[in-house]
Amino acid sequence: MKNDTLTIYGVETVHYPLERCQEQALQFRTPVGDMVSLHKSDNDSAFVALSVTGPEKKGVISKDLAVMYQGKRYRGYVYINPTSIKVVRPSLTEEGLTMDNVYYDNVIHICVYQGKQRLYAKDITRQMFSSVVPDDYLKMSILSDMDFIGVDAEGYHYLATLCIPDGASCYNVELTIDRDDQLSFSSADVE
């Protein structure tokens, strides 16, 4: 069924043009043009919403920083790689419908060089932060940023940022790579 309309009555009456209407699924466009899919729940006859959005069209973001420590020059690199790994964040529309907004996570590659010699390189994923970030927060967050912050006697230091998309808070987590190439995580703060 196409060219039909879903009407929601509330404080304001809102009309949504239907794109697809089937027994198990309903798809419509919002007034701003976003596509929304409703799918029948497995455990009851209610529909649950899943926002249909494509991954943001962004490329790899690269950053680097050079620091001196004990007369030696170190360079830390960060490559923020967008992925197709979905992160679902439930929200409530103005009309009172529950909708799951879909966002896409990143994998971040970090590496440290002293001159031309690579001292450390590793891909960092959101799941690696489970020891310092609460599970319910981690499940809805995105590994959004990473910065090389320096070298000292303890090792090489990076600062990672994990945020819930469209949320008000972020976790900052310090990563330390010691002289034995062991990676450890410590909670820096919550913004």
Side-chain angles (χ1 to χ4, degrees), residues 3 23 30 94 141 165 186:
N3 297 327
E23 185 178 340
T30 66
E94 291 178 8
S141 67
S186 61

Side-chain angles (χ1 to χ4, degrees), residues 163-184:
C163 297
I164 293 179
D166 298 330
S169 66
C170 294
Y171 269 86
N172 288 327
V173 178
E174 186 172 334
L175 285 72
T176 302
I177 301 131
D178 68 18
R179 299 296 179 198
D180 297 322
D181 289 340
Q182 296 300 307
L183 179 63
S184 63

Side-chain angles (χ1 to χ4, degrees), residues 21-128:
C21 183
Q22 299 173 329
E23 185 178 340
Q24 297 295 319
L26 179 67
Q27 202 170 46
F28 60 90
R29 294 213 176 266
T30 66
V32 295
D34 294 334
M35 180 71 74
V36 175
S37 291
L38 299 175
H39 300 277
K40 204 172 262 188
S41 172
D42 292 336
N43 42 357
D44 59 31
S45 62
F47 279 94
V48 292
L50 176 65
S51 174
V52 178
T53 57
E56 292 180 29
K57 301 294 182 196
K58 60 181 181 179
V60 174
I61 298 171
S62 62
K63 304 185 209 182
D64 68 277
L65 177 69
V67 296
M68 295 295 290
Y69 177 67
Q70 294 183 338
K72 296 178 182 172
R73 186 172 190 255
Y74 295 87
R75 191 164 203 127
Y77 292 91
V78 172
Y79 300 97
I80 303 171
N81 301 292
T83 70
S84 57
I85 300 168
K86 292 181 180 179
V87 174
V88 178
R89 180 173 185 240
S91 65
L92 198 59
T93 67
E94 291 178 8
E95 294 80 26
L97 292 173
T98 301
M99 185 178 343
D100 289 338
N101 294 305
V102 178
Y103 301 92
Y104 294 88
D105 202 4
N106 298 305
V107 171
I108 299 180
H109 182 76
I110 61 173
C111 50
V112 178
Y113 283 82
Q114 181 185 346
K116 291 184 178 185
Q117 181 186 4
R118 184 177 71 194
L119 303 174
Y120 186 83
K122 186 168 187 77
D123 284 342
I124 306 297
T125 64
R126 173 175 41 107
Q127 292 76 15
M128 295 170 80

